[in-house]
Amino acid sequence: MTPAPLAGRLDGLLFFPVTAFARDGSVDLAAFRAHVRAGVDAGAAVVFACCGTGEFHALTPEEFRDCVAAAVEEAAGRVPVVAGTGYGTALAVHYARLAEEAGADGLLAMPPYLVVPDQAGLLRHYTELAAATPLDVIVYQRDNAVLTPDTAVALARTDGVIGLKDGLGDLGLMQRIVSAVRSEGLDLLYFNGLPTAELTGAAYRGIGVTLYSSAVFCFAPDLALACHRALASGDDATLDLLVDCFYRPLAELRAQGRGYAVSLVKAAVRRSGLDVGEVRPPLSEPAPEHVDALMLLVERGRALLEKAGA
């Protein structure tokens, strides 16, 4: 049976697994497989392998290919697998072809490395990437890759580009992009890609952006799924409870250290019972007291949900 087009399968909670490393620093494929398998079994709708949370920047091409292939095997067709790609155009195309060989269903195109391109350069980069692979492409807007509405419209017209993930957080710009694409009679999928996306889930839904990535799902899938259900069903009481008692304190804790959007998540996965190793340089490990504080937040969030019957 031929799988449905990727755009029609990107629904529900989006899982961005960490990449597991052994004590000698090598990729631990067994632990990575267990992590991916647990996420799919817990209810993830999509696996985004080797992206930001998965330390794409720290993986060799061979490691990247092996991890994507492992994710595809563990997903076993139950959910799609989207792989990261990035750097300059030539390397982005190289990683895209590795992802295709590994069986991925699509690509998340992260910002180009180092340079700050203009709109013409960004458009050329993404159109050349899309033309070089049969995999559908989601463009990740953040840092040095911020699109104008006109560029977003041009990308919506580009064969193979199906979505835009926003990691910038400028809701005014996102509304203008959504409006411009819609006014041209075009379609794009939109994703909230902020580090703690649940905090802004309600605001993004107000402009029609319902898909989001959840780092919390890596270490507390029950809390992440409860929040997703609350957002989808309009259960404001549960959403407010989770935001006030878990997600806001989590965001404040994450702000205590550089790289915590990855390293703190990975430490929490370890504390939750699966040894996925430490982060690779140039990231460093979070302070132990911050990991302790995060695990207390998880316990409190679960206790409050149980008390509320959510």
Side-chain angles (χ1 to χ4, degrees):
M1 180 184 297
T2 302
L6 179 61
R9 302 173 69 197
L10 293 175
D11 193 14
L13 200 144
L14 314 181
F15 174 33
F16 284 68
V18 302
T19 299
F21 300 125
R23 294 188 184 278
D24 65 0
S26 63
V27 169
D28 186 340
L29 281 177
F32 178 70
R33 285 176 177 277
H35 184 43
V36 171
R37 186 165 59 249
V40 174
D41 290 344
V46 188
V47 175
F48 281 76
C50 304
C51 295
T53 308
E55 297 179 78
F56 169 79
H57 68 276
L59 299 174
T60 68
E62 295 78 16
E63 292 171 333
F64 168 86
R65 180 196 58 221
D66 291 346
C67 285
V68 174
V72 170
E73 289 177 7
E74 294 303 328
R78 293 177 288 169
V79 300
V81 173
V82 177
T85 189
Y87 305 116
T89 307
L91 273 176
V93 169
H94 179 59
Y95 277 93
R97 289 174 176 158
L98 291 174
E100 180 188 349
E101 291 172 10
D105 299 285
L107 299 167
L108 177 64
M110 289 176 285
Y113 173 70
L114 191 61
V115 296
V116 182
D118 60 14
Q119 294 298 297
L122 285 171
L123 182 58
R124 182 180 176 189
H125 173 70
Y126 294 122
T127 53
E128 289 189 9
L129 172 61
T133 173
L135 299 180
D136 287 331
V137 176
I138 300 163
V139 173
Y140 194 178
Q141 167 172 269
R142 57 176 292 173
D143 301 321
N144 59 331
V146 178
L147 309 179
T148 64
D150 285 346
T151 302
V153 167
L155 285 174
R157 290 196 173 105
T158 301
D159 289 342
V161 175
I162 65 166
L164 174 64
K165 180 182 179 184
D166 179 52
L168 183 65
D170 184 336
L171 284 173
L173 174 60
M174 278 304 295
Q175 178 66 86
R176 290 163 53 216
I177 286 173
V178 170
S179 174
V181 172
R182 183 176 60 227
S183 295
E184 293 297 319
L186 301 168
D187 290 314
L188 276 179
L189 292 173
Y190 300 101
F191 304 78
N192 174 358
L194 292 178
T196 308
E198 289 90 345
L199 272 179
T200 52
Y204 271 85
R205 279 183 175 267
I207 60 171
V209 180
T210 59
L211 296 167
Y212 65 88
S213 54
S214 175
V216 170
F217 187 83
C218 286
F219 59 87
D222 52 341
L223 296 180
L225 288 165
C227 187
H228 188 268
R229 287 192 298 269
L231 278 164
S233 65
D235 182 355
D236 292 338
T238 299
L239 180 61
D240 290 347
L241 176 70
L242 285 167
V243 166
D244 295 347
C245 298
F246 179 73
Y247 284 103
R248 177 178 55 80
L250 168 61
E252 292 167 353
L253 183 60
R254 193 195 66 237
Q256 297 300 306
R258 289 188 179 274
Y260 272 20
V262 177
S263 63
L264 194 60
V265 171
K266 199 165 193 179
V269 175
R270 290 198 305 270
R271 286 285 191 92
S272 298
L274 179 62
D275 187 359
V276 290
E278 297 185 350
V279 290
R280 279 181 172 174
L283 295 178
S284 58
E285 287 297 295
E289 61 269 24
H290 291 157
V291 184
D292 291 340
L294 173 54
M295 301 319 290
L296 286 174
L297 278 178
V298 171
E299 291 178 13
R300 183 172 72 169
R302 285 172 173 157
L304 289 170
L305 277 181
E306 184 178 358
K307 184 178 180 179

